[in-house]
Amino acid sequence: MGYESRPKRFARIVEDLQTNIGLLTELKDEYEQWKDSMPENLEQSPTGQKLEETVDTLDTAIDTLDNILSESENVVSDLECCELPMGFGND
């Protein structure tokens, strides 16, 4: 990988975060679909309870990451608007 400026790296990391939130959401939806398709008599089984906990945990993680993403997008926007130091006496 060649040189990539810090602001561009930060923007790429934010994009990767968006992608990973999408992947986590897909995974959560799969677990939720599995849980929802269980027969009623198995909903309180150990598997049903683990599925419920997994869906809740993923939901919380996605909400947290969404908040981080929102703040990160603000930072990317701020970085694009400011004049960043070039370094090595080039300022």
Side-chain angles (χ1 to χ4, degrees):
M1 180 193 265
Y3 174 78
E4 189 176 30
S5 69
R6 288 179 187 95
K8 286 185 181 179
R9 284 192 335 235
F10 190 85
R12 182 178 42 79
I13 291 167
V14 170
E15 286 177 28
D16 291 346
L17 181 56
Q18 286 174 316
T19 299
N20 288 324
I21 289 171
L23 294 172
L24 276 174
T25 301
E26 288 175 16
L27 183 62
K28 180 199 72 126
D29 291 345
E30 289 175 24
Y31 278 114
E32 200 160 34
Q33 187 177 30
W34 179 9
K35 179 183 71 87
D36 292 345
S37 66
M38 290 185 81
E40 250 182 76
N41 62 332
L42 294 178
E43 287 177 358
Q44 296 305 315
S45 70
T47 300
Q49 291 174 353
K50 286 180 184 177
L51 286 170
E52 183 71 33
E53 290 171 13
T54 300
V55 168
D56 289 345
T57 299
L58 287 171
D59 215 18
T60 301
I62 291 165
D63 286 345
T64 301
L65 291 172
D66 274 334
N67 291 334
I68 292 169
L69 179 62
S70 179
E71 269 309 302
S72 298
E73 288 171 340
N74 292 338
V75 171
V76 169
S77 184
D78 290 347
L79 287 174
E80 289 171 348
C81 296
C82 69
E83 189 175 322
L84 298 171
M86 297 172 67
F88 300 109
N90 294 318
D91 294 326

Coordinates of all heavy atoms in Angstrom, one line a residue:
M1 N 0.9 -1.2 0.0 CA 0.0 0.0 0.0 C 0.9 1.2 0.0 O 1.8 1.3 0.8 CB -0.9 0.0 1.2 CG -1.8 1.2 1.3 SD -2.6 1.4 2.9 CE -4.2 0.6 2.6
G2 N 0.6 2.2 -0.9 CA 1.4 3.4 -1.0 C 1.0 4.4 0.1 O 0.2 4.1 1.0
Y3 N 1.6 5.5 0.0 CA 1.4 6.6 1.0 C -0.1 7.0 1.0 O -0.6 7.2 -0.1 CB 2.3 7.8 0.8 CG 2.0 8.9 1.8 CD1 2.4 8.9 3.1 CD2 1.2 10.0 1.3 CE1 2.1 9.9 3.9 CE2 0.9 11.0 2.2 CZ 1.3 11.0 3.5 OH 1.0 12.0 4.3
E4 N -0.7 7.2 2.1 CA -2.0 7.7 2.2 C -2.0 8.7 3.4 O -1.6 8.4 4.5 CB -3.0 6.5 2.5 CG -4.4 6.9 2.4 CD -5.3 5.7 2.6 OE1 -4.9 4.8 3.4 OE2 -6.4 5.7 2.1
S5 N -2.5 9.9 3.1 CA -2.5 11.0 4.1 C -3.4 10.5 5.3 O -4.3 9.7 5.2 CB -3.0 12.3 3.5 OG -4.4 12.2 3.3
R6 N -3.1 11.2 6.5 CA -3.9 10.8 7.7 C -5.4 11.1 7.5 O -6.2 10.3 7.9 CB -3.3 11.6 8.8 CG -2.0 11.1 9.3 CD -1.4 12.0 10.5 NE -0.1 11.6 10.8 CZ 1.0 12.1 10.3 NH1 0.9 13.2 9.5 NH2 2.2 11.7 10.7
P7 N -5.8 12.3 6.9 CA -7.2 12.5 6.7 C -7.8 11.4 5.8 O -9.0 11.0 6.1 CB -7.3 13.9 6.1 CG -6.0 14.6 6.5 CD -5.0 13.5 6.6
K8 N -7.1 11.0 4.8 CA -7.7 10.0 3.9 C -7.7 8.7 4.6 O -8.7 7.9 4.4 CB -6.8 9.9 2.6 CG -7.1 11.0 1.7 CD -6.3 10.9 0.4 CE -6.6 12.1 -0.5 NZ -5.9 12.0 -1.8
R9 N -6.7 8.3 5.4 CA -6.8 7.1 6.2 C -8.0 7.1 7.1 O -8.7 6.1 7.3 CB -5.5 6.9 7.0 CG -4.4 6.4 6.1 CD -3.1 5.9 6.9 NE -3.0 6.4 8.2 CZ -1.9 7.0 8.6 NH1 -0.8 7.2 7.8 NH2 -1.8 7.4 9.9
F10 N -8.2 8.3 7.8 CA -9.3 8.4 8.7 C -10.6 8.2 8.0 O -11.5 7.4 8.5 CB -9.3 9.7 9.4 CG -10.2 9.8 10.6 CD1 -9.9 9.4 11.8 CD2 -11.5 10.4 10.4 CE1 -10.8 9.5 12.9 CE2 -12.4 10.4 11.4 CZ -12.1 10.0 12.7
A11 N -10.8 8.8 6.8 CA -12.0 8.7 6.0 C -12.2 7.2 5.6 O -13.3 6.7 5.6 CB -11.9 9.6 4.8
R12 N -11.1 6.5 5.3 CA -11.2 5.1 4.9 C -11.6 4.3 6.0 O -12.5 3.4 5.9 CB -9.9 4.6 4.3 CG -9.9 3.2 3.8 CD -8.6 2.7 3.2 NE -7.4 3.1 4.0 CZ -6.9 2.5 5.1 NH1 -7.6 1.5 5.6 NH2 -5.8 3.0 5.6
I13 N -11.1 4.6 7.2 CA -11.5 3.8 8.4 C -13.0 4.0 8.7 O -13.7 3.1 9.1 CB -10.6 4.3 9.6 CG1 -9.2 3.8 9.4 CG2 -11.2 3.8 10.9 CD1 -8.2 4.4 10.4
V14 N -13.5 5.2 8.5 CA -14.9 5.5 8.7 C -15.7 4.7 7.7 O -16.7 4.1 8.1 CB -15.2 7.0 8.6 CG1 -16.7 7.3 8.6 CG2 -14.6 7.8 9.8
E15 N -15.3 4.7 6.5 CA -16.0 3.8 5.5 C -16.0 2.4 5.9 O -17.0 1.7 5.7 CB -15.3 4.0 4.1 CG -15.6 5.3 3.4 CD -14.8 5.5 2.1 OE1 -14.6 4.4 1.5 OE2 -14.5 6.6 1.7
D16 N -14.8 1.9 6.3 CA -14.8 0.5 6.8 C -15.7 0.2 7.9 O -16.4 -0.8 8.0 CB -13.3 0.1 7.2 CG -12.4 0.1 6.0 OD1 -12.8 0.1 4.9 OD2 -11.1 0.0 6.3
L17 N -15.8 1.2 8.8 CA -16.8 1.1 10.0 C -18.2 1.0 9.5 O -19.0 0.1 9.9 CB -16.6 2.3 10.9 CG -17.5 2.3 12.1 CD1 -17.3 1.1 13.0 CD2 -17.2 3.6 13.0
Q18 N -18.6 1.8 8.4 CA -19.9 1.7 7.8 C -20.1 0.3 7.3 O -21.2 -0.3 7.5 CB -20.1 2.7 6.7 CG -20.2 4.1 7.2 CD -20.2 5.1 6.0 OE1 -19.4 5.0 5.1 NE2 -21.1 6.1 6.0
T19 N -19.2 -0.2 6.6 CA -19.3 -1.6 6.0 C -19.5 -2.6 7.1 O -20.3 -3.5 7.0 CB -18.0 -1.9 5.2 OG1 -17.9 -0.9 4.1 CG2 -18.1 -3.3 4.6
N20 N -18.7 -2.5 8.2 CA -18.8 -3.5 9.2 C -20.0 -3.4 10.0 O -20.6 -4.4 10.5 CB -17.5 -3.4 10.1 CG -16.3 -3.9 9.5 OD1 -16.3 -4.9 8.7 ND2 -15.2 -3.2 9.7
I21 N -20.6 -2.2 10.2 CA -21.9 -2.0 10.8 C -22.9 -2.8 10.0 O -23.8 -3.5 10.5 CB -22.3 -0.6 11.0 CG1 -21.4 0.0 12.1 CG2 -23.7 -0.4 11.4 CD1 -21.5 1.5 12.3
G22 N -22.9 -2.6 8.7 CA -23.8 -3.3 7.8 C -23.7 -4.8 7.9 O -24.7 -5.5 7.9
L23 N -22.4 -5.3 8.0 CA -22.2 -6.8 8.1 C -22.8 -7.2 9.5 O -23.4 -8.3 9.6 CB -20.7 -7.1 8.0 CG -20.1 -6.9 6.6 CD1 -18.6 -7.1 6.7 CD2 -20.8 -7.8 5.6
L24 N -22.6 -6.5 10.5 CA -23.1 -6.8 11.9 C -24.6 -6.8 11.8 O -25.3 -7.7 12.5 CB -22.6 -5.9 12.9 CG -21.2 -6.2 13.5 CD1 -20.8 -5.0 14.5 CD2 -21.2 -7.5 14.3
T25 N -25.2 -5.9 11.1 CA -26.7 -5.8 11.0 C -27.2 -7.1 10.3 O -28.2 -7.6 10.7 CB -27.1 -4.5 10.3 OG1 -26.6 -3.4 11.1 CG2 -28.6 -4.4 10.2
E26 N -26.5 -7.5 9.3 CA -27.0 -8.7 8.5 C -26.9 -9.9 9.4 O -27.8 -10.7 9.4 CB -26.1 -8.9 7.3 CG -26.3 -7.9 6.2 CD -25.3 -8.1 5.0 OE1 -24.6 -9.1 5.0 OE2 -25.2 -7.2 4.2
L27 N -25.8 -10.0 10.2 CA -25.6 -11.1 11.1 C -26.7 -11.1 12.2 O -27.3 -12.2 12.5 CB -24.2 -11.1 11.8 CG -23.8 -12.2 12.7 CD1 -23.8 -13.5 11.9 CD2 -22.5 -11.9 13.3
K28 N -27.0 -9.9 12.8 CA -28.0 -9.8 13.8 C -29.4 -10.3 13.2 O -30.1 -11.0 13.8 CB -28.1 -8.4 14.3 CG -29.2 -8.3 15.4 CD -29.6 -6.8 15.6 CE -30.4 -6.4 14.4 NZ -31.7 -5.8 14.6
D29 N -29.6 -9.8 12.0 CA -30.9 -10.2 11.3 C -31.0 -11.7 11.1 O -32.1 -12.3 11.3 CB -31.0 -9.5 10.0 CG -31.3 -8.0 10.1 OD1 -31.6 -7.5 11.2 OD2 -31.1 -7.3 9.1
E30 N -29.9 -12.4 10.8 CA -29.9 -13.8 10.6 C -30.2 -14.5 12.0 O -31.0 -15.5 12.0 CB -28.5 -14.3 10.1 CG -28.2 -14.0 8.7 CD -26.9 -14.4 8.2 OE1 -26.3 -15.3 8.9 OE2 -26.3 -13.7 7.3
Y31 N -29.6 -14.0 13.0 CA -29.9 -14.6 14.4 C -31.3 -14.4 14.8 O -32.0 -15.2 15.3 CB -28.9 -14.1 15.4 CG -27.6 -14.7 15.5 CD1 -26.4 -14.0 15.2 CD2 -27.4 -16.0 15.9 CE1 -25.2 -14.6 15.2 CE2 -26.2 -16.7 15.9 CZ -25.1 -16.0 15.6 OH -23.9 -16.6 15.7
E32 N -31.8 -13.2 14.4 CA -33.2 -12.8 14.8 C -34.2 -13.7 14.0 O -35.2 -14.2 14.5 CB -33.4 -11.3 14.5 CG -34.6 -10.8 15.2 CD -34.5 -9.3 15.3 OE1 -34.0 -8.6 14.3 OE2 -35.0 -8.7 16.3
Q33 N -33.9 -13.9 12.7 CA -34.7 -14.8 11.9 C -34.7 -16.2 12.5 O -35.8 -16.9 12.5 CB -34.2 -14.8 10.5 CG -35.1 -15.5 9.5 CD -34.6 -15.4 8.1 OE1 -33.4 -15.2 7.8 NE2 -35.6 -15.4 7.2
W34 N -33.6 -16.7 12.9 CA -33.4 -18.0 13.5 C -34.3 -18.1 14.7 O -35.1 -19.0 14.9 CB -32.0 -18.3 13.8 CG -31.7 -19.7 14.4 CD1 -32.5 -20.7 14.6 CD2 -30.4 -20.1 14.9 NE1 -31.9 -21.8 15.2 CE2 -30.6 -21.4 15.4 CE3 -29.2 -19.5 15.0 CZ2 -29.5 -22.1 16.0 CZ3 -28.1 -20.2 15.6 CH2 -28.3 -21.5 16.1
K35 N -34.2 -17.1 15.6 CA -34.9 -17.0 16.8 C -36.4 -17.0 16.6 O -37.2 -17.7 17.2 CB -34.5 -15.8 17.6 CG -35.3 -15.6 18.9 CD -34.8 -14.3 19.6 CE -35.3 -13.1 18.9 NZ -36.6 -12.6 19.3
D36 N -36.8 -16.2 15.6 CA -38.2 -16.0 15.3 C -38.9 -17.2 14.6 O -40.1 -17.4 14.7 CB -38.5 -14.8 14.4 CG -38.2 -13.5 15.1 OD1 -38.1 -13.5 16.4 OD2 -38.0 -12.4 14.4
S37 N -38.1 -18.0 14.0 CA -38.6 -19.2 13.4 C -38.6 -20.5 14.3 O -39.1 -21.5 13.9 CB -37.8 -19.5 12.1 OG -36.5 -19.9 12.4
M38 N -38.1 -20.3 15.5 CA -38.2 -21.4 16.4 C -39.6 -21.7 16.9 O -40.4 -20.8 17.0 CB -37.3 -21.1 17.7 CG -35.8 -21.0 17.5 SD -35.0 -20.8 19.0 CE -35.0 -22.5 19.6
P39 N -39.9 -23.0 17.1 CA -41.2 -23.3 17.6 C -41.4 -22.7 19.0 O -40.4 -22.5 19.7 CB -41.2 -24.9 17.7 CG -40.1 -25.3 16.8 CD -39.1 -24.2 16.8
E40 N -42.6 -22.4 19.3 CA -42.9 -21.7 20.6 C -42.3 -22.5 21.8 O -41.8 -21.9 22.8 CB -44.4 -21.5 20.8 CG -44.8 -20.1 20.7 CD -46.3 -20.0 20.9 OE1 -46.7 -20.0 22.1 OE2 -47.0 -19.8 19.9
N41 N -42.4 -23.8 21.8 CA -42.0 -24.6 22.9 C -40.5 -24.6 23.1 O -40.0 -25.1 24.1 CB -42.5 -26.1 22.8 CG -42.0 -26.8 21.6 OD1 -41.7 -26.2 20.5 ND2 -41.9 -28.1 21.7
L42 N -39.7 -24.1 22.1 CA -38.3 -24.0 22.2 C -37.8 -22.6 22.5 O -36.5 -22.4 22.7 CB -37.6 -24.5 20.9 CG -37.8 -26.0 20.6 CD1 -37.1 -26.4 19.3 CD2 -37.3 -26.9 21.8
E43 N -38.7 -21.6 22.5 CA -38.2 -20.3 22.8 C -37.5 -20.1 24.1 O -36.6 -19.2 24.2 CB -39.4 -19.3 22.7 CG -39.9 -19.1 21.3 CD -41.2 -18.2 21.2 OE1 -41.7 -17.8 22.3 OE2 -41.6 -18.0 20.1
Q44 N -37.9 -20.8 25.1 CA -37.3 -20.7 26.4 C -36.2 -21.7 26.7 O -35.6 -21.8 27.8 CB -38.3 -20.8 27.5 CG -39.3 -19.6 27.5 CD -38.7 -18.3 27.5 OE1 -37.7 -18.0 28.3 NE2 -39.1 -17.4 26.7
S45 N -35.8 -22.5 25.6 CA -34.7 -23.4 25.7 C -33.4 -22.7 25.8 O -33.3 -21.5 25.6 CB -34.8 -24.4 24.5 OG -34.4 -23.6 23.3
P46 N -32.3 -23.4 26.2 CA -31.0 -22.8 26.2 C -30.7 -22.1 24.9 O -30.1 -21.0 24.9 CB -30.1 -23.9 26.6 CG -30.9 -24.9 27.3 CD -32.3 -24.8 26.7
T47 N -31.0 -22.8 23.8 CA -30.7 -22.2 22.5 C -31.5 -20.9 22.2 O -31.0 -19.9 21.8 CB -30.9 -23.2 21.3 OG1 -30.1 -24.3 21.6 CG2 -30.6 -22.6 20.0
G48 N -32.8 -21.0 22.6 CA -33.6 -19.8 22.4 C -33.2 -18.6 23.3 O -33.1 -17.5 22.8
Q49 N -32.7 -18.9 24.5 CA -32.3 -17.8 25.4 C -30.9 -17.3 24.8 O -30.7 -16.0 24.9 CB -32.1 -18.4 26.8 CG -33.4 -18.7 27.4 CD -33.3 -19.3 28.8 OE1 -32.2 -19.7 29.2 NE2 -34.4 -19.5 29.5
K50 N -30.1 -18.1 24.4 CA -28.8 -17.7 23.8 C -29.0 -16.8 22.6 O -28.3 -15.8 22.3 CB -27.9 -18.8 23.5 CG -27.2 -19.5 24.7 CD -26.3 -20.6 24.3 CE -25.8 -21.3 25.5 NZ -25.0 -22.5 25.2
L51 N -30.0 -17.2 21.7 CA -30.3 -16.4 20.6 C -30.8 -15.0 21.0 O -30.4 -14.0 20.4 CB -31.3 -17.1 19.7 CG -30.8 -18.3 18.9 CD1 -32.0 -19.1 18.3 CD2 -29.8 -17.9 17.8
E52 N -31.7 -15.0 22.0 CA -32.2 -13.7 22.5 C -31.1 -12.8 23.0 O -31.0 -11.6 22.6 CB -33.2 -14.0 23.6 CG -33.9 -12.7 24.1 CD -34.9 -12.1 23.1 OE1 -35.5 -12.8 22.3 OE2 -35.0 -10.9 23.1
E53 N -30.2 -13.4 23.7 CA -29.0 -12.6 24.3 C -28.1 -12.1 23.1 O -27.6 -11.0 23.2 CB -28.2 -13.5 25.2 CG -28.9 -13.8 26.5 CD -28.2 -14.8 27.4 OE1 -27.0 -15.2 27.0 OE2 -28.8 -15.3 28.3
T54 N -27.9 -13.0 22.1 CA -27.1 -12.6 21.0 C -27.7 -11.5 20.2 O -27.0 -10.5 19.9 CB -26.8 -13.9 20.1 OG1 -26.2 -14.9 20.8 CG2 -26.0 -13.5 18.9
V55 N -29.0 -11.5 20.0 CA -29.6 -10.5 19.2 C -29.6 -9.2 20.0 O -29.3 -8.1 19.5 CB -31.1 -10.9 18.9 CG1 -31.9 -9.7 18.4 CG2 -31.1 -12.0 17.9
D56 N -29.8 -9.2 21.3 CA -29.8 -8.0 22.2 C -28.4 -7.4 22.2 O -28.2 -6.2 22.1 CB -30.2 -8.3 23.6 CG -31.7 -8.6 23.7 OD1 -32.4 -8.3 22.7 OD2 -32.1 -9.2 24.7
T57 N -27.3 -8.3 22.3 CA -26.0 -7.8 22.4 C -25.5 -7.2 21.0 O -24.9 -6.1 21.0 CB -25.0 -9.0 22.7 OG1 -25.4 -9.5 24.0 CG2 -23.6 -8.6 22.7
L58 N -25.9 -7.8 19.9 CA -25.6 -7.3 18.6 C -26.3 -6.0 18.4 O -25.7 -5.0 17.8 CB -25.9 -8.3 17.5 CG -24.9 -9.4 17.4 CD1 -25.5 -10.5 16.4 CD2 -23.5 -9.0 17.0
D59 N -27.5 -5.9 18.8 CA -28.3 -4.6 18.7 C -27.7 -3.5 19.5 O -27.5 -2.4 18.9 CB -29.7 -4.9 19.2 CG -30.8 -4.1 18.5 OD1 -30.5 -3.7 17.3 OD2 -31.9 -4.0 19.0
T60 N -27.2 -3.8 20.7 CA -26.5 -2.8 21.5 C -25.2 -2.3 20.8 O -24.9 -1.2 20.7 CB -26.2 -3.3 22.9 OG1 -27.5 -3.6 23.5 CG2 -25.5 -2.3 23.7
A61 N -24.4 -3.3 20.3 CA -23.2 -3.0 19.6 C -23.4 -2.2 18.4 O -22.7 -1.2 18.1 CB -22.5 -4.3 19.3
I62 N -24.4 -2.5 17.6 CA -24.7 -1.7 16.4 C -25.1 -0.3 16.7 O -24.6 0.6 16.1 CB -25.8 -2.5 15.6 CG1 -25.2 -3.7 15.0 CG2 -26.4 -1.6 14.5 CD1 -26.3 -4.7 14.5
D63 N -25.9 -0.1 17.8 CA -26.3 1.2 18.2 C -25.1 2.0 18.6 O -24.9 3.2 18.3 CB -27.3 1.2 19.4 CG -28.7 0.8 18.9 OD1 -29.0 0.8 17.7 OD2 -29.5 0.4 19.8
T64 N -24.2 1.4 19.4 CA -23.0 2.1 19.8 C -22.1 2.4 18.7 O -21.6 3.6 18.6 CB -22.2 1.1 20.8 OG1 -23.0 0.8 21.9 CG2 -20.9 1.8 21.3
L65 N -21.9 1.5 17.7 CA -21.1 1.8 16.6 C -21.7 2.9 15.7 O -21.0 3.7 15.1 CB -20.8 0.5 15.8 CG -19.9 -0.5 16.5 CD1 -19.9 -1.8 15.7 CD2 -18.5 0.1 16.6
D66 N -23.0 2.9 15.6 CA -23.7 3.9 14.8 C -23.4 5.3 15.4 O -23.2 6.3 14.7 CB -25.2 3.7 14.8 CG -25.7 2.8 13.7 OD1 -25.0 2.7 12.6 OD2 -26.7 2.1 13.8
N67 N -23.4 5.4 16.7 CA -23.1 6.7 17.4 C -21.7 7.1 17.1 O -21.4 8.3 16.8 CB -23.3 6.6 18.9 CG -24.8 6.5 19.3 OD1 -25.7 6.9 18.5 ND2 -25.1 5.9 20.4
I68 N -20.8 6.1 17.2 CA -19.3 6.4 16.9 C -19.2 6.8 15.4 O -18.5 7.8 15.1 CB -18.5 5.2 17.2 CG1 -18.4 4.9 18.7 CG2 -17.1 5.3 16.6 CD1 -17.8 3.6 19.0
L69 N -19.9 6.2 14.5 CA -19.9 6.5 13.1 C -20.3 7.9 12.9 O -19.7 8.7 12.1 CB -20.7 5.5 12.3 CG -20.7 5.8 10.8 CD1 -19.4 5.7 10.2 CD2 -21.7 4.8 10.1
S70 N -21.4 8.3 13.5 CA -22.0 9.6 13.4 C -20.9 10.7 13.8 O -20.7 11.7 13.1 CB -23.2 9.8 14.2 OG -23.8 11.1 14.1
E71 N -20.3 10.5 14.9 CA -19.3 11.4 15.4 C -18.1 11.4 14.5 O -17.5 12.5 14.2 CB -18.8 11.0 16.8 CG -19.5 11.7 17.9 CD -19.6 13.2 17.8 OE1 -18.6 13.9 17.7 OE2 -20.7 13.7 17.8
S72 N -17.7 10.2 14.0 CA -16.5 10.1 13.1 C -16.8 10.9 11.8 O -15.9 11.5 11.2 CB -16.2 8.7 12.8 OG -15.9 8.0 13.9
E73 N -18.0 10.8 11.3 CA -18.4 11.5 10.0 C -18.2 13.0 10.2 O -17.8 13.7 9.3 CB -19.7 11.1 9.5 CG -19.8 9.7 9.0 CD -21.2 9.2 8.7 OE1 -22.2 9.7 9.2 OE2 -21.3 8.2 7.9
N74 N -18.6 13.5 11.4 CA -18.4 14.9 11.7 C -17.0 15.3 11.7 O -16.6 16.3 11.2 CB -19.0 15.2 13.1 CG -20.6 15.1 13.1 OD1 -21.2 15.2 12.1 ND2 -21.1 14.9 14.3
V75 N -16.1 14.4 12.3 CA -14.7 14.7 12.3 C -14.1 14.7 10.9 O -13.3 15.6 10.5 CB -13.9 13.6 13.2 CG1 -12.4 13.7 13.0 CG2 -14.3 13.7 14.6
V76 N -14.5 13.7 10.0 CA -14.1 13.7 8.6 C -14.5 15.0 8.0 O -13.7 15.7 7.3 CB -14.7 12.5 7.9 CG1 -14.4 12.7 6.4 CG2 -14.1 11.2 8.4
S77 N -15.7 15.5 8.2 CA -16.1 16.7 7.6 C -15.3 17.9 8.1 O -14.9 18.8 7.3 CB -17.6 16.9 8.0 OG -18.1 18.1 7.4
D78 N -15.0 17.9 9.4 CA -14.2 19.0 10.0 C -12.8 19.0 9.4 O -12.2 20.0 9.1 CB -14.1 18.9 11.5 CG -15.4 19.2 12.2 OD1 -16.3 19.8 11.5 OD2 -15.5 18.9 13.4
L79 N -12.2 17.8 9.2 CA -10.9 17.6 8.7 C -10.8 18.1 7.2 O -9.8 18.7 6.8 CB -10.4 16.2 8.7 CG -10.0 15.6 10.1 CD1 -9.7 14.2 10.0 CD2 -8.8 16.4 10.7
E80 N -11.9 17.9 6.5 CA -11.9 18.4 5.1 C -11.9 19.9 5.0 O -11.5 20.5 4.0 CB -13.1 17.7 4.3 CG -13.0 16.3 4.1 CD -14.2 15.6 3.6 OE1 -15.3 16.3 3.6 OE2 -14.1 14.5 3.1
C81 N -12.4 20.5 6.0 CA -12.6 22.0 6.0 C -11.4 22.7 6.6 O -11.3 24.0 6.4 CB -13.9 22.4 6.8 SG -15.4 21.8 6.1
C82 N -10.5 22.1 7.3 CA -9.4 22.8 7.9 C -8.1 22.6 7.1 O -8.0 21.6 6.4 CB -9.3 22.4 9.4 SG -8.7 20.8 9.7
E83 N -7.2 23.5 7.3 CA -5.9 23.4 6.7 C -5.0 22.6 7.6 O -4.6 23.1 8.7 CB -5.4 24.8 6.4 CG -4.1 24.8 5.5 CD -3.7 26.2 5.2 OE1 -4.6 27.1 5.0 OE2 -2.5 26.4 5.2
L84 N -4.7 21.4 7.2 CA -3.9 20.5 8.1 C -2.4 20.8 7.9 O -2.0 21.2 6.8 CB -4.2 19.1 7.8 CG -5.6 18.7 8.1 CD1 -5.9 17.3 7.6 CD2 -5.9 18.7 9.6
P85 N -1.6 20.6 8.9 CA -0.1 20.8 8.7 C 0.4 19.8 7.8 O 0.1 18.6 7.7 CB 0.4 20.6 10.2 CG -0.6 19.8 10.9 CD -1.9 20.1 10.2
M86 N 1.4 20.3 6.9 CA 2.0 19.4 6.0 C 3.2 18.7 6.5 O 3.6 17.7 6.1 CB 2.3 20.2 4.7 CG 1.1 20.7 4.0 SD 1.5 21.9 2.7 CE 2.3 20.8 1.5
G87 N 3.9 19.4 7.5 CA 5.0 18.8 8.1 C 6.3 19.1 7.4 O 6.3 19.6 6.3
F88 N 7.4 18.7 8.0 CA 8.8 18.9 7.4 C 9.1 20.2 6.9 O 9.6 20.4 5.8 CB 9.0 17.8 6.4 CG 8.9 16.4 6.9 CD1 7.8 15.6 6.5 CD2 9.8 15.8 7.7 CE1 7.6 14.3 7.0 CE2 9.7 14.6 8.2 CZ 8.6 13.8 7.9
G89 N 8.6 21.3 7.6 CA 8.9 22.6 7.2 C 8.1 23.1 5.9 O 8.5 24.1 5.3
N90 N 7.1 22.4 5.5 CA 6.3 22.8 4.3 C 5.1 23.6 4.7 O 4.3 23.9 3.8 CB 5.8 21.5 3.6 CG 7.0 20.7 3.0 OD1 7.9 21.3 2.5 ND2 6.9 19.4 3.2
D91 N 4.9 24.0 5.9 CA 3.7 24.8 6.3 C 3.8 26.2 5.9 O 4.3 27.1 6.0 CB 3.5 24.6 7.8 CG 3.1 23.2 8.2 OD1 2.5 22.5 7.4 OD2 3.5 22.8 9.2

